[in-house]
Structure formats: structure tokens, C-alpha cells
Amino acid sequence: MVLVAGIDSSTQSCKVVVRDADTGALVRQGRAAHPEGTEVHPDHWWAALQKAVADAGGLDDVGAVSVGGQQHGMVCLDSDGAVVRPALLWNDTRSAGAAAELINSAGGGDPATGAQYWARATGTVPVASLTVTKLRWLADNEPENAASVAAVCLPHDWLTWRLAGFGPGSGREGLEALATDRSDASGTGYYSTAAGRYLADVVSASLGHVPLLPKVLGPLEAAGRTPAGTLLGAGAGDNAAAALGAGAALGDVVMSLGTSGTVFAVSDTPAADASGLVAGFADAAGHYLPLVCTLNATRVFDATAALLDVDLPEFNRLALSAGPGAGGLILVPYFDGERTPNLPDATGSLHGITRSNYTPANLARAAVEGVVCSLADGLAALQDQGVSVRRILLVGGGAQSPAVQEVAAALLGTGIRVPQPGEYVADGAARQAAAALTGHFPEWAADGVDLPQGKDDGGVLARYRRFASLYT
């Protein structure tokens, strides 16, 4: 039996799965936590990876390994290969002003013209999460650090590089071994998804110079080998890896409820949305991955459950005990600001409160409906870009919530499949590792449950959109 390993280095933790390359059967797994915060030194990821690998029984018997990582995080290296400063993560919003500056500059002071430029050039209009905005922030706020940047990479790139035996002291030769894939490169804001190349002028205008950027590998290419000889797959951004892990094919839309919420489709054409709602990313298998991301998903449930002083099972029971529409309560869940729509300084709001409807059950239901409605808006944005929806794959920790499943079936208006719970990003990375080893993506069986389609009898989505529109 040939084994492959997949790594998911996410915002919150590192997870490792070891699977049979032929069947996909899980052999063993491990995990380790990451520190909290929106600014993290990459050394913490490396330490967590070592712990997770040890927890999974090691990689000595593994033929290939691949890394799926949180997108957009800015990892800056100096000429010796050392980290210049802690990485700014995707959910660090301090570069919101830089994003606005980049848009205005490209449009000669006209944001609409600037947005059209970015949509054409990269497929994505800058928001605070993108790497390019963080480079601009670095140049504006830490010019000495910016000047010392010799290479810029992403979390999955850096971890793959470290697995290959590189690190501080590697020098120029080591930096030239940095590699990424098109799915993660497409989330930087300085890579043209449609043309498949970096935009050096964009990098220069943001950072002040053009550092070394990782080589962009194809879906089946290898990034090298570990010192022990294990093959290293190209790796992928977390959403692209999740698409592989969930078995998404052309026409499928993946809706993921985790720390953030994402809605993305496997498409045969690139997206270029000047409104900024849809990011025109690439996938990890040679297609495209138009994507909508929200900052607020399961943490809204956590916060509401804490407010009600209940655990999550009881939170779900309360939400299911309330009727559709939560008695008229509407929660707009912008607790941590929002990325889609681009409102980094927004806060959440609760509407329609009366003495009779302000109950724990209705509040729990409103939290679930608010999060699903925000994702429904993401689905509508994809459809406005011409994405045809064959089915929705509902994944992530929040997808296992009975309340989420009931509300999604009622509000989303199409067939929904809930794949068997798993570590989709790590599983997708493992599938990519198997492809790098064999030259083709294996067909691994994917069990799941199809939800009975419901109806939005309470007009929940229309009322949600009325209150959400007050922000824009």
C-alpha cells in the first residue's frame, strides 16, 4: 500500500492526514493548534506542523506530501531566507486603506475605473485580505522592513519550502527554490488568473521593488523532495484544496462554514467582477474557482451560544425550536467587519425586536439564518457572474449543524449535498500528493447525504437583504 499525506495549515490549527493513495482510505491523522491573532510569526506554523506530523505517526513511510494553506498571508523573507516580520494573515484588516489606495491609483482617482482595471488585470478587486494590500501597507508603515524584503511567499509556499529543507541561512539559492501553485498565486492580487503570470509592475507599485516570487507550478508538478526523499506536491490555497477534498467537479458550488464563510464554484472560465464581490481565483486542478468569502460564519454561532449561556448542541436545539423567520428577528452578522460586501469597519446588527419575539430560541434561529443569508448573497453573486449551479456541497464544521442544514435547504433554492465530515483541505492536499506521485488525480469515493429541498416560506432572505442593504 502506497501512502500519501495531506496537510491543512489553517488560521486556527495544523491538521495532517495520511491516506492510501489508491483508495483514499484514512490510515492515521494528527493535529496541533496555532496561536490566535491576525499577525503570526511563521515559526509557529512550523512548530505546529512538527507536532501534527508526530501526532499522525510521522511521514517516514509516506511517498508524497502536499500542503493546503490559508490564503493571502504575507510571508516576507530577507536575502538570507529569514522571516522579516510576523506574517499578516488574510483576516488582518489594517490594510483596508491600502486597498482603497490601490484601487484609486489604478483609476486615476476614480474608484469605479480602478476596480475595472483590477478585475481585468488580476480577476480580483483589492480588499484588505489580499497579499498585495499588505505589501502596500508594509511599504507605507514599515519602510525599513519593506526595503529588506528579498522574497514574498504565502503560508503554504513557506511550509513546503521548509519541508524541502530550506529556511534561515538558505540564501539566494534557497529563495530560488520557493514554489507555489496557481490557486494560491491567484489570491495575491499581483497574479493574472486569466493569463497565468505575475504582474511585476503591480508588485513594484505596492512594495517599492520586485522581490523574488515563488515559481508557479502546474497541478501535477512537484515542488521538490524532503531531505528524506518524500515527494512534495505543489500545494494549494485552502479553498482550492477543499474543492479537491470534497470531490467538487465542474458545475458544483462549495459552500463552506468555518471560521469564515466561503462560496466558490468549479468553473471552466475565469471571473472578472469589477463590483469586487467575486474573487477570480484559480483552482488546483487546471480550472477556475470564482469565490465569495465572508469573515463571519461559525464564530457568530459561538458568540450567540455564549451570550445565551448554552453549548452548541443546545444552541442548535433552540434554533430548531423557533419557526422560520425567527419571529421577525433579523441578524446581520458582520461581527468582525466584513469582506463581502467589503465593509472592514462594519459591526453586526439585530433588527425587528419586540418584547414578544426577543427570546433565546428566536435569537439562535436569527443567528443561523443571518449567516446562511450572507452566504446566499454570495451564491447570488456567483450566479450574476454566469456561474451555473448544478448542486451545492455544504462543508465545514458548521455544515454538520442540523439548524444550518434546515435553513440552507429552505433558503438556497437548489439541491444540497452534505459530504461525510472530514478534513476537506487536508484530504484535498493528500489527493494532490497522490496526483503528483502517479500523474493523475485519483477517484476517491465520497459519501454524503442529500438534503430535502425546502422553501423560504417566511420571506427570510428578502427581509435580510432589506436590512443588509442599509450598510451599502
Side-chain angles (χ1 to χ4, degrees), residues 85-408:
R85 67 162 338 273
L88 298 185
L89 306 190
W90 65 274
N91 55 353
D92 191 302
T93 59
R94 75 185 73 179
S95 58
E101 290 173 7
L102 289 169
I103 295 170
N104 286 333
S105 296
D110 178 19
T113 302
Q116 291 171 359
Y117 160 80
W118 284 99
R120 289 194 307 269
T122 72
T124 304
V125 178
V127 291
S129 60
L130 297 191
T131 318
V132 69
T133 70
K134 302 178 190 306
L135 292 178
R136 178 63 173 264
W137 179 91
L138 186 69
D140 290 343
N141 293 274
E142 299 178 2
E144 291 185 4
N145 280 337
S148 69
V149 175
V152 177
C153 59
L154 302 168
H156 114 249
D157 313 343
W158 186 81
L159 286 169
T160 303
W161 186 66
R162 292 302 308 272
L163 284 169
F166 299 104
S170 295
R172 181 72 184 186
E173 183 178 353
L175 294 180
E176 290 176 350
L178 284 164
T180 190
D181 87 307
R182 58 196 291 275
S183 74
D184 226 0
S186 68
T188 60
Y190 46 81
Y191 178 84
S192 170
T193 303
R197 60 180 179 85
Y198 287 119
L199 303 174
D201 56 334
V202 171
V203 180
S204 179
S206 303
L207 184 61
H209 66 281
V210 182
L212 187 147
L213 301 173
K215 178 183 178 182
V216 181
L217 302 175
L220 301 177
E221 287 189 84
R225 292 185 180 272
T226 69
T230 303
L231 191 69
L232 290 166
D238 52 1
N239 293 302
L244 289 178
L250 286 170
D252 286 340
V253 171
V254 179
M255 185 173 288
S256 176
L257 286 87
T259 303
S260 62
T262 51
V263 187
F264 49 92
V266 181
S267 173
D268 56 6
T269 56
D273 180 13
S275 77
L277 291 177
V278 177
F281 297 157
D283 79 346
H287 302 299
Y288 299 93
L289 203 76
L291 178 146
V292 173
C293 180
T294 70
L295 289 180
N296 302 276
T298 58
R299 285 191 293 190
V300 175
F301 306 156
D302 295 337
T304 307
L307 176 67
L308 298 175
D309 196 24
V310 298
D311 59 16
L312 286 175
E314 178 62 11
F315 169 82
N316 271 281
R317 191 199 67 77
L318 284 169
L320 289 170
S321 72
L329 288 185
I330 292 290
L331 178 71
V332 181
Y334 300 162
F335 286 24
D336 294 310
E338 192 47 81
R339 171 174 165 176
T340 306
N342 184 25
L343 299 166
D345 299 319
T347 57
S349 57
L350 184 64
H351 301 268
I353 305 171
T354 67
R355 282 184 297 150
S356 61
N357 70 9
Y358 195 49
T359 67
N362 283 332
L363 186 57
R365 180 82 181 200
V368 174
E369 290 180 342
V371 168
V372 173
C373 281
S374 71
L375 294 172
D377 280 352
L379 178 64
L382 290 180
Q383 291 172 311
D384 288 344
Q385 287 295 301
V387 171
S388 178
V389 182
R390 180 172 68 98
R391 65 173 178 174
I392 293 173
L393 299 174
L394 194 64
V395 304
Q400 303 308 310
S401 159
V404 166
Q405 292 181 10
E406 179 180 288
V407 171

